Amino acid sequence: MLLHAKESLRKMFSAAMSYYGGPMQSHALSAFDLRHSLSSYNKTSRHVFSCKARSLTQFSCGGSSADQEIVIAMGSNVGDRVSTFDRALQMMKSSGVNISRHACLYETAPAYVTDQPRFLNSAVRGTTKLGPHELLKKLKEIEKDIGRTGGIRYGPRPIDLDILLYRNSQIDSETLIVPHERIHERPFVLAPLIDLLGTACDDGIETSWHSFSKCSGGFFESWNKLGGESVIGTEGIKRVLPVGNRLLDWCKRTLVMGILNVTPDSFSDGGKFQQVGAAISQAKLLISEGADIIDIGAQSTRPFAKRLSPKEELDRLIPVLDEITKIPEIEGKLLSVDTFYAEVATEAVKRGVHMINDVSGGQLDPRILKVAAELGVPYIVMHMRGDPSTMQCEKNLQYGDVCKEVASELYTQVREAELSGIPLWRIVLDPGIGFSKNCGRCIEVINGLESIRSEMGKMSIGASHVPILLGPSRKSFLREICNRANPVDLDAATVTAVTIGILKGANIVRVHNAGFCADGAKVYDALLKGKRLEN
């Protein structure tokens, strides 16, 4: 038994590494990790086998005194699919499901019955005191409340909620089979399930879940057999970011976020666009140059900047925002607000903003996490230690492995965001170039974006897949490298940093000069992503 478990764990680990495209030295399985996993495997395996025999008696009715870890799959292809998911999440929480993790959001081609609209699919991981059959009953009630009726099997449905896993139990009854019997053949189920796992193989419950797979390498091997990451981005299955009234496939092409600072003291363009007319002209210029998103900031976050109150920030922001939403050029574009205040974010979204860009990731005003969850808009989580007045102090510049520490600290912020109700499919990560980092560290972070993703994957594979925003534009590390005093003279250097960042995995670039960087992104997409130029 021990030799079988040891070999199975090694295969699971090998499959996980294959999932990331090859071996990664930093993920080497230590003797301690292996012993820990083997111990978990042995304990959970014994429970799994005994539980199968008693599954219909212990869990058939009533609840449990302890929280049980569960995975629930979600699907929808009728009506407003995103709003339906939001409603289902709230109803699950009200029914006794404590959601702790979310998978990414996938738009998928219909399976089995193909003549129907495309689906949205995801999954959540959490805990409940409900027994499995009681949980099933609650989920069926939610489906009915949302509007699901009988219909044809595998046909259109406003919502579909399935129990994929219930702690380390196997259940086989007339009404419920756990693990779900068709996990292994469905990419639209396996992809979200994989998102809810980590690669470290040191979680007892995850080890038992992998043992339910029909492959010795666990669910990682099952996913790889269906094509793994190679199928993501095809017509069959795409990761998407719900924003505004659309679903963005951020891997299809690089998105350009143009910076509009309506401040007197920003490091690059302070005072230039404080007046409404000047700000509108700059917004039009950014759009004409190729910006997909306009990020409006009314409070400087340069080093040692004085902090404004929410009211002062709104007094600067609102007149500009109200006029930008009226210009014809904004049609089809996205608006983002650069703020760390919940009050400012709320007012901005009410007035037409689609995204919240928080340089503090919820650390300066924790209320913003609940607000972003309630508003249902994408939330950009940036890495920063301290605040703008302290971020460049000696203490906050100290790192061992900067990519590992940035990933760990960002993941802590992601966890807080998820627990506050922001699903992972609405989170964007920003490693914070120039925030709590000197020149050398900025270079390491840009070169190490892939490493940051893989470190994230050890904790949550889903978190390693979310979009990454990179903002090196005219930052001081470029000034040090190029020995140029005027930030405006750093646009060529910015294009180079942006292009390398895209090569390393950035999906959105935040820049002052949208024209130069949009051209750089287009060339990258054409040459390295194989995108054909449209006539």
Side-chain angles (χ1 to χ4, degrees):
M1 177 68 180
L2 182 63
L3 290 175
H4 172 74
K6 182 176 180 181
E7 181 60 24
S8 293
L9 281 164
R10 289 195 181 279
K11 288 183 178 180
M12 277 192 278
F13 189 80
S14 176
M17 297 307 97
S18 174
Y19 172 82
Y20 272 97
M24 292 181 288
Q25 191 65 34
S26 61
H27 283 200
L29 189 63
S30 67
F32 174 81
D33 291 331
L34 183 58
R35 286 196 301 271
H36 182 88
S37 296
L38 282 169
S39 175
S40 298
Y41 182 93
N42 288 333
K43 292 176 184 176
T44 55
S45 293
R46 285 195 296 271
H47 180 80
V48 168
F49 298 143
S50 61
C51 182
K52 184 173 183 180
R54 66 187 185 195
S55 61
L56 300 183
T57 57
Q58 182 179 356
F59 298 123
S60 60
C61 61
S64 169
S65 60
D67 286 331
Q68 308 298 331
E69 193 142 13
I70 56 173
V71 175
I72 298 172
M74 307 172 67
S76 173
N77 75 333
V78 173
D80 186 337
R81 300 168 297 172
V82 176
S83 294
T84 295
F85 271 25
D86 290 337
R87 187 179 172 195
L89 290 178
Q90 291 305 314
M91 294 176 78
M92 280 193 277
K93 292 174 186 176
S94 300
S95 299
V97 176
N98 299 309
I99 297 172
S100 57
R101 290 195 194 184
H102 309 73
C104 295
L105 191 64
Y106 295 84
E107 187 176 46
T108 64
Y112 310 116
V113 177
T114 58
D115 185 19
Q116 59 177 316
R118 292 175 67 82
F119 276 83
L120 281 188
N121 290 101
S122 191
V124 294
R125 177 174 172 175
T127 59
T128 187
K129 285 184 168 62
L130 299 171
H133 290 84
E134 188 179 4
L135 174 61
L136 176 65
K137 181 181 177 182
K138 292 287 186 182
L139 296 180
K140 294 304 176 187
E141 289 172 357
I142 293 171
E143 290 180 344
K144 184 178 179 181
D145 287 345
I146 288 177
R148 183 171 179 182
T149 56
I152 62 172
R153 192 179 188 192
Y154 306 129
R157 68 209 74 171
I159 190 66
D160 189 14
L161 302 173
D162 288 320
I163 303 171
L164 297 184
L165 298 163
Y166 186 97
R167 80 171 193 185
N168 50 6
S169 304
Q170 292 179 300
I171 303 165
D172 190 349
S173 73
E174 291 182 4
T175 57
L176 179 63
I177 297 176
V178 176
H180 194 283
E181 58 186 336
R182 293 199 167 182
I183 289 177
H184 314 85
E185 67 185 52
R186 299 176 172 180
F188 59 88
V189 174
L190 261 179
L193 173 58
I194 291 290
D195 285 345
L196 298 172
L197 306 175
T199 62
C201 291
D202 61 358
D203 184 322
I205 191 68
E206 288 193 13
T207 303
S208 70
W209 287 349
H210 279 297
S211 73
F212 293 146
S213 171
K214 296 179 180 179
C215 298
S216 58
F219 286 117
F220 295 127
E221 184 179 342
S222 299
W223 175 231
N224 287 336
K225 283 186 174 181
L226 293 181
E229 279 299 292
S230 67
V231 303
I232 301 296
T234 65
E235 281 304 305
I237 181 168
K238 303 175 182 180
R239 289 192 187 98
V240 290
L241 175 73
V243 52
N245 58 359
R246 73 191 80 172
L247 297 172
L248 285 182
D249 177 0
W250 69 88
C251 292
K252 186 175 182 180
R253 68 176 182 87
T254 306
L255 300 174
V256 176
M257 174 184 279
I259 300 168
L260 179 59
N261 289 319
V262 292
T263 57
D265 54 346
S266 292
F267 76 91
S268 172
D269 49 15
K272 288 186 177 181
F273 311 118
Q274 215 174 345
Q275 299 303 312
V276 173
I280 298 303
S281 295
Q282 179 64 8
K284 290 180 178 180
L285 176 63
L286 291 169
I287 293 169
S288 70
E289 291 178 336
D292 303 288
I293 309 164
I294 303 297
D295 188 43
I296 310 174
Q299 172 152 205
S300 175
T301 51
R302 63 175 173 78
F304 313 111
K306 176 186 174 183
R307 187 186 300 191
L308 300 180
S309 68
K311 182 181 183 305
E312 291 172 311
E313 190 173 330
L314 283 169
D315 286 344
R316 289 179 182 174
L317 175 69
I318 296 307
V320 173
L321 179 57
D322 283 350
E323 292 304 312
I324 284 182
T325 57
K326 296 175 185 176
I327 63 175
E329 291 87 347
I330 205 67
E331 182 71 26
K333 304 298 180 181
L334 298 172
L335 287 173
S336 169
V337 62
D338 181 359
T339 188
F340 47 76
Y341 283 132
E343 184 179 336
V344 175
T346 299
E347 193 62 33
V349 172
K350 283 181 182 178
R351 293 171 181 266
V353 161
H354 306 97
M355 309 172 69
I356 299 169
N357 182 11
D358 180 3
V359 297
S360 81
Q363 297 180 99
L364 298 183
D365 183 359
R367 297 175 304 158
I368 200 170
L369 298 178
K370 287 289 187 183
V371 163
E374 291 167 2
L375 293 171
V377 297
Y379 179 68
I380 301 169
V381 179
M382 197 192 78
H383 177 266
M384 175 177 64
R385 292 175 172 176
D387 60 33
S389 68
T390 63
M391 64 184 183
Q392 296 302 106
C393 72
E394 189 63 27
K395 175 185 175 183
N396 287 329
L397 294 175
Q398 296 303 310
Y399 296 90
D401 182 326
V402 65
C403 291
K404 187 173 183 177
E405 291 176 44
V406 166
S408 176
E409 291 165 27
L410 267 178
Y411 183 63
T412 298
Q413 293 168 262
V414 169
R415 295 290 296 123
E416 287 299 318
E418 284 197 87
L419 293 173
S420 297
I422 305 174
L424 188 68
W425 61 71
R426 284 198 175 101
I427 291 177
V428 177
L429 297 179
D430 181 346
I433 300 300
F435 289 80
S436 314
K437 301 167 191 71
N438 59 24
C439 177
R441 296 306 193 184
C442 288
I443 293 170
E444 288 182 68
V445 167
I446 294 173
N447 276 322
L449 291 181
E450 293 166 316
S451 175
I452 290 173
R453 281 199 189 274
S454 66
E455 288 293 333
M456 281 278 196
K458 295 179 183 179
M459 299 169 279
S460 162
I461 289 176
S464 75
H465 288 316
V466 304
I468 286 182
L469 182 150
L470 190 70
S473 185
R474 300 179 181 175
K475 293 286 176 71
S476 60
F477 82 101
L478 296 176
R479 183 176 67 242
E480 289 186 41
I481 294 171
C482 301
N483 194 27
R484 293 185 182 275
N486 190 341
V488 177
D489 294 333
L490 294 172
D491 285 346
T494 296
V495 174
T496 302
V498 160
T499 304
I500 293 173
I502 298 170
L503 178 64
K504 298 294 184 178
N507 308 106
I508 307 170
V509 292
R510 183 177 181 273
V511 297
H512 295 84
N513 190 318
F516 286 176
C517 293
D519 286 348
K522 287 175 184 176
V523 171
Y524 169 84
D525 290 343
L527 292 177
L528 295 180
K529 289 189 177 181
K531 180 178 181 295
R532 293 181 182 273
L533 298 178
E534 297 177 0
N535 294 327

